[in-house]
Amino acid sequence: MIWWLKARNVPAVLSALFAVYLVAVLVRQEAIPVPAVVGPSGRLLVTQILGVVPVVLLLHGLDRGDTVTEEVALRHNGRRTVALCVAFALLALVTAAGIQLLWDRPEALSLARNCAGFLGSALVVRAVLGPGIAAICVAALPLACAAAGRRPGGSARPWAWPIHEPLSYPGAAEAVFLFALGCALAVWRPRPVIDPLARTT
């Protein structure tokens, strides 16, 4: 089991997760400008994009091995993958709750929601197009939401959950739905339908 966790890059994922929470506590409301495609000029809080880092590392770790070989060697590889993803999401949530209780940083709650939602989105795309394109899509998601996800008044559109307020119930519900869907696909379809960026030997 220890070998499996190391093969899945878990130590690096944990380090990245705690590092992004530290950055979130320090930067708080710092934002980067994003050109608006629709609506008013886009603005993306640093804390709204930080969750991409540990998620991409985890996604890379999930697909470091040979999927076909591991399906033979491990009876329930899909279940182990889901267990790892659930543990990641729970750790993100517990860390955010602790930061909120100790230092009153709602940005940490937004980061936890986005970590779970980004991971779910990545797992959905991974099941269809493979991990390479999933990593690209999850990195582009918050930027796309900031560029096209605001109404003329400046509030976030319902579908742009990564840029919703930290305590937004619709944003949290969308992230949970994506996470649950991604986990279900990880069990049901461990290999992608097509993988244009697959390594060929």
Side-chain angles (χ1 to χ4, degrees), residues 8-144:
R8 291 299 178 275
N9 214 19
V10 171
V13 173
L14 291 177
S15 300
L17 183 63
F18 291 127
V20 297
Y21 273 105
L22 177 61
V23 173
V25 169
L26 295 175
V27 302
R28 300 200 70 184
Q29 294 293 317
E30 293 294 323
I32 55 175
V34 178
V37 176
V38 178
S41 180
R43 180 175 172 268
L44 182 64
L45 295 177
V46 173
T47 53
Q48 292 171 336
I49 198 171
L50 281 174
V52 168
V53 176
V55 166
V56 169
L57 283 174
L58 178 57
L59 187 65
H60 172 69
L62 292 177
D63 292 286
R64 285 177 77 181
D66 181 3
T67 308
V68 177
T69 304
E70 288 189 348
E71 282 177 1
V72 175
L74 299 171
R75 292 183 179 179
H76 303 294
N77 193 35
R79 293 181 190 173
R80 289 185 184 206
T81 296
V82 169
L84 181 58
C85 292
V86 170
F88 171 82
L90 286 176
L91 182 60
L93 182 61
V94 168
T95 305
I99 291 171
Q100 172 66 10
L101 288 173
L102 292 173
W103 294 295
D104 189 23
R105 297 286 195 271
E107 300 85 8
L109 300 177
S110 172
L111 180 55
R113 174 198 67 207
N114 286 2
C115 281
F118 291 155
L119 180 55
S121 303
L123 291 173
V124 171
V125 178
R126 172 182 176 258
V128 180
L129 297 172
I133 291 181
I136 295 168
C137 289
V138 78
L141 178 60
L143 297 172

Side-chain angles (χ1 to χ4, degrees), residues 159-199:
W159 58 266
W161 56 268
I163 61 171
H164 278 211
E165 293 297 319
L167 299 177
S168 165
Y169 292 117
E174 289 176 60
V176 168
F177 172 76
L178 285 169
F179 181 74
L181 178 60
C183 287
L185 286 172
V187 173
W188 177 63
R189 179 168 286 282
R191 283 184 281 174
V193 177
I194 56 171
D195 192 350
L197 302 182
R199 295 184 298 257

